[in-house]
Amino acid sequence: MVASETIADVSASGREQRSTAAGKLSVAQILRLGAAGAVNDATSGQVQSVLAKLSLCRTHVLGGRKFRCADCAEITSLYNSCGDRHCPRVAVVNSCSGGKRVDFHDKATKLILSGVTYYQVVFTLPSELSELALANRYEMADLLVDSAWKSLSRRIKAEQDYDPAAMTILHTWNQKLEAHWHVHMLVPGAGPGLSTRQWTEATAPTGSRNSDGFYLVDADPLREAYREQAIGKLRRLRSAGKLKLVGKFEYLRSNENWDAFVKNLESKKWVAYIQPPPSVTSSACQVVRYLTRYLTGGPISDRRIVAADADEVTFMARDGKRVGGEREQVPVTMSSSEFVGRWCLHIQPDQLTKTRYLGGWSNNRRGAYQDRCREQLEAVEGWRLEEPSADSSKEAFAQSPDQVCEHCGSDRIELIQDTPKPSWAEIFRREDDRCPEWYADRQRESHRRLWTASYGTDFYDWYVETQVESAEEIERERIAMVQLPLAGFTGDLGYPQSYLVDSF
């Protein structure tokens, strides 16, 4: 098994080595060191699997390439990444999920049209529903995105009379890594007219106190519509038996308690925040770039870590309840195991999609919708199509090899060894030496409980002992067979004696 590691052992890149030397661990190092102490019997198999993959990222276990420097003759190793979308190694060269970021960024920027104002709209679930979402991830993700989109699209159609579109990214955390489910939407502030068949821009109604020149829809009716849509869907989920009411929410199985719970939600002011561009010269590509950075990698980056060792972590987080704008940054300190536990709250099932394209940007409408936009925009005096620049997205997000000597910095290096990445099924076999020790122990304990529940106490130990004895007996018989000569055959044919014995 891969033994428990020390701080000195966990460095897998130059950046991690520098952070360790400075007395501050990276997020990846904290997760690797704290994984064994953070998991328990209640930790899901998927969370354990993700932590195990992250602990092996950029290590020799995953294979990789070795280069020899022509200038200093030293060897540089470039190990393979785990490739998991939760991996925090995203701010460094050769980061995990770099390809996913590039694909998303390129797809999103192709939707941006010059001369159009784009807004970021953020819809947030109340804290009670964010906690309920931890046991109902698929259901609450659909509730959040569907309710937000239906309320926004209907308000745009009613107030502005154009065909809306949106791109969304689901986030599940706040700055303190607590459950805080919200969705970011990039929304064009104009579109093909519904009744006029002409390009229509969002405008503030007469008498509006809007002073900065930006306006999408009235925020108050939007919040009310969002709350109504979400609570209606929540009621339907419970009626259909699709909500898991466990733990602190088990009391909601009572109709009386449920009605009181919903009534409290109805009394709250739900958050739907419309953020205009920072200035008239701001580009929607800046918002796309911001959203792309949070597409993968988890809820916190290395730059927010102030101090961290094997026992304790301190990081900076915004404090206060004010929506939008800047809030005071305060240090937050917690044990490493609590940090890992909070980080794991935001590991999502593989089938849960964090990004969606809605309305005119949906997959089945996108082509026709963009054609209508360009056709109607061409009739607007002075409009000229400008293709958005790549703005170095491939440099910022691509998974490009860092092929320079880590000893002298020379780029005169020669590939001398290329070891392919093994499969996770192969690495995670319980008896494989490459499997993290804590993960193998968890698998054995899970296997033991399964057999015990089916066949009673001590069955698993008897089974394992029998398997070991059988394997030893088979090995002794195999050795004896190899040593027996076969009449009429020798090793003259060029085959090993064991091959001849096994083949007949």
Side-chain angles (χ1 to χ4, degrees):
M1 307 302 164
V2 176
S4 299
E5 295 157 299
T6 65
I7 294 177
D9 294 329
V10 299
S11 297
S13 69
R15 174 169 296 198
E16 285 192 334
Q17 291 170 350
R18 289 191 294 273
S19 68
T20 303
K24 183 182 75 171
L25 298 181
S26 67
V27 175
Q29 291 172 320
I30 297 168
L31 295 175
R32 184 181 298 182
L33 288 170
V39 299
N40 52 47
D41 293 343
T43 306
S44 71
Q46 190 215 358
V47 170
Q48 294 184 42
S49 174
V50 169
L51 287 176
K53 290 178 181 178
L54 268 51
S55 71
L56 299 178
C57 186
R58 298 294 173 188
T59 65
H60 71 281
V61 171
L62 299 187
R65 290 166 290 169
K66 287 188 176 182
F67 302 88
R68 178 181 288 112
C69 179
D71 292 330
C72 67
E74 294 289 347
I75 303 298
T76 294
S77 297
L78 186 63
Y79 298 126
N80 292 325
S81 67
C82 66
D84 193 277
R85 66 174 176 171
H86 302 94
C87 185
R89 301 174 192 269
V90 296
V92 295
V93 180
N94 303 307
S95 61
C96 287
S97 301
K100 295 182 181 125
R101 289 180 161 211
V102 171
D103 291 344
F104 171 81
H105 187 272
D106 288 350
K107 183 177 181 180
T109 51
K110 288 177 182 176
L111 300 174
I112 306 302
L113 296 173
S114 54
V116 179
T117 300
Y118 291 84
Y119 295 81
Q120 183 182 190
V121 187
V122 182
F123 293 86
T124 304
L125 287 179
S127 58
E128 298 91 336
L129 296 187
S130 286
E131 293 183 36
L132 183 62
L134 296 178
N136 300 273
R137 295 176 186 264
Y138 295 106
E139 294 79 8
M140 298 306 288
D142 287 340
L143 179 148
L144 171 57
V145 177
D146 290 349
S147 301
W149 171 242
K150 285 180 180 178
S151 58
L152 179 61
S153 62
R154 289 174 184 177
R155 295 311 307 168
I156 289 176
K157 290 177 181 178
E159 294 186 36
Q160 305 297 352
D161 193 36
Y162 68 80
D163 192 1
M167 175 187 67
T168 73
I169 291 188
L170 174 69
H171 287 177
T172 64
W173 57 82
N174 61 15
Q175 287 256 308
K176 296 181 180 179
L177 311 187
E178 299 162 328
H180 181 71
W181 284 54
H182 57 286
V183 63
H184 293 258
M185 287 190 173
L186 180 67
V187 183
L194 294 174
S195 60
T196 63
R197 306 279 180 185
Q198 296 177 347
W199 186 252
T200 304
E201 294 186 356
T203 56
T206 304
S208 170
R209 291 180 294 177
N210 174 267
S211 60
D212 60 5
F214 295 109
Y215 187 90
L216 185 62
V217 294
D218 192 336
D220 288 334
L222 175 63
R223 296 186 188 103
E224 294 174 3
Y226 167 50
R227 179 180 60 191
E228 181 181 346
Q229 286 285 340
I231 291 178
K233 189 173 181 68
L234 186 69
R235 290 183 186 274
R236 292 191 293 274
L237 285 171
R238 182 178 182 269
S239 297
K242 295 182 179 180
L243 274 185
K244 299 184 186 71
L245 301 175
V246 296
K248 66 179 291 185
F249 293 102
E250 190 170 355
Y251 78 103
L252 295 179
R253 295 178 182 178
S254 160
N255 290 336
E256 182 179 355
N257 292 336
W258 173 259
D259 291 339
F261 177 75
V262 172
K263 186 175 181 179
N264 177 58
L265 292 175
E266 291 174 332
S267 68
K268 288 179 174 288
K269 186 175 182 180
W270 288 41
V271 176
Y273 175 69
I274 303 173
Q275 183 180 43
S279 67
V280 293
T281 59
S282 298
S283 167
C285 292
Q286 294 174 327
V287 179
V288 171
R289 192 177 181 85
Y290 164 77
L291 295 177
T292 302
R293 290 192 180 278
Y294 289 92
L295 180 66
T296 60
I300 187 171
S301 61
D302 290 343
R303 62 182 176 81
R304 286 177 53 201
I305 304 294
V306 175
D309 56 29
D311 301 314
E312 197 173 72
V313 180
T314 299
F315 59 92
M316 300 301 294
R318 287 194 296 266
D319 192 34
K321 299 290 186 181
R322 186 157 58 91
V323 176
E326 294 297 326
R327 285 170 286 170
E328 183 184 2
Q329 293 271 340
V330 298
V332 177
T333 300
M334 62 184 64
S335 67
S336 296
S337 59
E338 183 181 358
F339 178 90
V340 176
R342 288 198 190 185
W343 193 92
C344 289
L345 291 177
H346 313 291
I347 294 177
Q348 302 300 341
D350 292 336
Q351 295 78 16
L352 194 154
T353 304
K354 293 185 66 174
T355 62
R356 304 189 191 190
Y357 297 86
L358 306 169
W361 286 348
S362 59
N363 292 335
N364 60 342
R365 292 188 56 201
R366 186 178 302 131
Y369 179 83
Q370 290 293 92
D371 289 342
R372 285 172 57 210
C373 288
R374 292 188 179 92
E375 179 183 347
Q376 293 186 12
L377 271 168
E378 287 173 355
V380 177
E381 184 177 354
W383 182 81
R384 182 171 59 90
L385 176 63
E386 296 178 4
E387 294 295 337
S389 64
D391 80 346
S392 67
S393 64
K394 295 192 184 303
E395 295 180 10
F397 304 116
Q399 187 174 348
S400 56
D402 186 17
Q403 296 180 352
V404 295
C405 177
E406 64 182 17
H407 302 279
C408 70
S410 171
D411 59 358
R412 298 177 62 230
I413 56 178
E414 175 190 9
L415 178 65
I416 60 173
Q417 183 177 336
D418 190 351
T419 305
K421 181 179 178 179
S423 69
W424 289 116
E426 182 182 351
I427 295 173
F428 285 163
R429 288 201 303 263
R430 292 187 297 276
E431 307 307 325
D432 196 297
D433 289 339
R434 295 167 296 182
C435 184
E437 187 174 357
W438 66 266
Y439 187 62
D441 289 342
R442 284 286 166 186
Q443 289 187 88
R444 278 192 289 270
E445 184 58 32
S446 176
H447 202 195
R448 180 192 298 275
R449 288 197 299 269
L450 176 65
W451 283 105
T452 299
S454 300
Y455 297 101
T457 308
D458 298 331
F459 177 84
Y460 179 78
D461 292 334
W462 169 83
Y463 174 78
V464 171
E465 183 179 350
T466 302
Q467 290 293 98
V468 172
E469 291 177 351
S470 298
E472 291 176 348
E473 182 63 28
I474 291 173
E475 180 65 13
R476 284 195 294 269
E477 292 179 0
R478 189 189 71 80
I479 293 174
M481 289 176 64
V482 169
Q483 292 174 344
L484 290 176
L486 291 178
F489 288 92
T490 67
D492 296 339
L493 297 179
Y495 298 106
Q497 187 73 13
S498 60
Y499 177 86
L500 294 172
V501 171
D502 293 338
S503 299
F504 286 87

